């Protein structure tokens, strides 16, 4: 396994370089794309990114196991906050409606989450940052 480590690291560096080249080409307006190929590429990249992140966090956990759960929770909060902002934008554009699949399930999950967040905040109050306050105002203004 130790002999394979430098070879695999070199492959990662090579793929990283290729991905940066592909990213620059995608940013160019001169390229014509196959929609299906692009969607497959996006899925593969997302899967690889998540796997790389997981492996990296496991490596970090071996060095400092007490910080892993906190980091994972923080990352989940960051990603969920981003998804919520995107969903709000979709709702503004009327990209989905009450009849859309999953909206009721999401609503139920959000109510459970809100209840748990309220309990957590009550147990550990802290000042809200300017950015968080702006996000909260946007959410409440859109109700």
């Amino acid at each position: 396994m130790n002999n394979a480590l430098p070879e695999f690291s070199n492959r990662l560096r090579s793929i990283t370089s290729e991905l940066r080249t592909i990213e620059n080409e995608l940013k160019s307006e001169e390229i014509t794309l196959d929609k299906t190929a692009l969607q497959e590429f996006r899925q593969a990249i997302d899967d690889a990114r998540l796997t790389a992140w997981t492996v990296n966090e496991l490596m970090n956990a071996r060095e400092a196991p007490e910080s892993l759960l906190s980091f994972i929770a923080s990352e989940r909060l960051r990603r969920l906050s981003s998804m919520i902002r995107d969903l709000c934008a979709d709702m503004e554009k009327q990209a989905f409606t009450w009849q859309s699949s999953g909206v009721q399930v999401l609503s139920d999950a959000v109510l459970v989450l809100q209840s748990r967040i309220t309990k957590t905040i009550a147990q550990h109050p802290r000042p809200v940052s300017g950015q968080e306050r702006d996000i909260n105002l946007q959410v409440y203004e859109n109700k």
Side-chain angles (χ1 to χ4, degrees), residues 26-113:
L26 286 171
K27 288 177 182 177
S28 138
E29 295 179 19
E30 301 167 7
I31 192 167
T32 304
L33 297 172
D34 174 332
K35 185 176 179 179
T36 302
L38 182 59
Q39 288 172 336
E40 290 171 0
F41 176 74
R42 286 182 57 203
Q43 186 62 52
I45 290 294
D46 193 46
D47 293 345
R49 184 203 59 78
L50 184 57
T51 300
W53 176 80
T54 302
V55 169
N56 187 230
E57 290 312 307
L58 288 172
M59 291 170 68
N60 291 340
R62 289 183 190 127
E63 296 169 7
E66 67 283 347
S67 66
L68 179 63
L69 291 177
S70 176
F71 178 83
I72 289 174
S74 294
E75 180 62 12
R76 285 179 178 154
L77 287 169
R78 184 193 68 75
R79 291 183 73 194
L80 180 60
S81 296
S82 175
M83 290 175 66
I84 288 170
R85 284 190 298 275
D86 291 344
L87 274 171
C88 288
D90 290 345
M91 291 176 83
E92 286 293 316
K93 297 174 191 167
Q94 297 179 346
F96 61 88
T97 64
W98 180 253
Q99 292 80 20
S100 297
S101 175
V103 172
Q104 182 62 53
V105 173
L106 174 63
S107 178
D108 295 343
V110 168
L111 290 174
V112 171
L113 177 62

Side-chain angles (χ1 to χ4, degrees), residues 125-141:
R126 69 168 183 79
V128 177
S129 74
Q131 181 184 10
E132 291 169 319
R133 189 173 28 257
D134 292 345
I135 290 169
N136 290 340
L137 288 175
Q138 289 173 356
V139 170
Y140 290 117
E141 288 172 357

